[in-house]
Amino acid sequence: MKALKLFSILLVAVLIISALFYEKIIASVLLPQYIEWAHETDHKGLEVGVPLNEKERLLASNIGVKHPEKVRIVYVDAVPYPYENFALKVFGEAVGLVGEGIINNAQVFGYSIYARKDFVLNRPKLAHELVHVLQIERASLDEVVTQHFFDMAEYGYDQAPLEVEAAKANKKYSADW
């Protein structure tokens, strides 16, 4: 009985400490794991992805991407996420990146844009993704991932500042090719 009480007290203490320091835990434990995975995903995408065509490179240049020639599109059945990492899976579900009823149509990892095969990457949608490439060029993949995770937790997807900026490109480049 004493062991059960001690375990319960210890569990409550861990939960309280976790709640008080969740940002530090996320920043020091979860984000480095996700960032490492994101770099690996970008590297794979650069190897297997399709370069932008002339119209798409011009769009990327108009948006401000410095190196449109580096951008690759990788068409996949499902946009990758490190589901095999339980902590990242739970965190992704908590902030709304993944989970029941959430379909990720496209995501940028550096210069790699992963898009679902059945997702029509028309001009406005590609413009949106290219703004994410631009955001990564302006800062770094590490900084953008870090900001995006905390923004998603604070604002949700639609109001996250990086998404708000990218959504403006959907409107600005709303006319299809």
Side-chain angles (χ1 to χ4, degrees), residues 11-31:
L11 181 61
V12 168
V14 167
L15 290 173
I16 290 171
I17 290 169
S18 297
L20 293 173
F21 298 104
Y22 78 95
E23 286 185 2
K24 289 186 187 275
I25 292 168
I26 291 168
S28 64
V29 177
L30 295 178
L31 280 173

Side-chain angles (χ1 to χ4, degrees), residues 73-108:
I73 302 174
V74 183
Y75 294 98
V76 291
D77 292 326
V79 173
Y81 187 83
Y83 292 102
E84 66 282 353
N85 182 319
F86 180 75
L88 286 174
K89 179 180 180 281
V90 170
F91 180 69
E93 290 170 347
V95 298
L97 289 172
V98 295
E100 188 71 31
I102 297 173
I103 297 173
N104 190 351
N105 290 313
Q107 187 167 343
V108 173

Side-chain angles (χ1 to χ4, degrees), residues 76-145:
V76 291
D77 292 326
V79 173
Y81 187 83
Y83 292 102
E84 66 282 353
N85 182 319
F86 180 75
L88 286 174
K89 179 180 180 281
V90 170
F91 180 69
E93 290 170 347
V95 298
L97 289 172
V98 295
E100 188 71 31
I102 297 173
I103 297 173
N104 190 351
N105 290 313
Q107 187 167 343
V108 173
F109 301 94
Y111 285 106
S112 299
I113 300 171
Y114 281 76
R116 286 189 16 237
K117 291 175 183 173
D118 61 347
F119 181 66
V120 179
L121 205 53
N122 59 18
R123 186 171 180 247
K125 292 173 185 172
L126 179 59
H128 179 107
E129 301 308 326
L130 289 169
V131 168
H132 290 311
V133 172
L134 174 64
Q135 292 165 342
I136 292 167
E137 278 188 334
R138 286 192 308 228
S140 70
L141 180 58
D142 299 23
E143 289 178 39
V144 168
V145 165

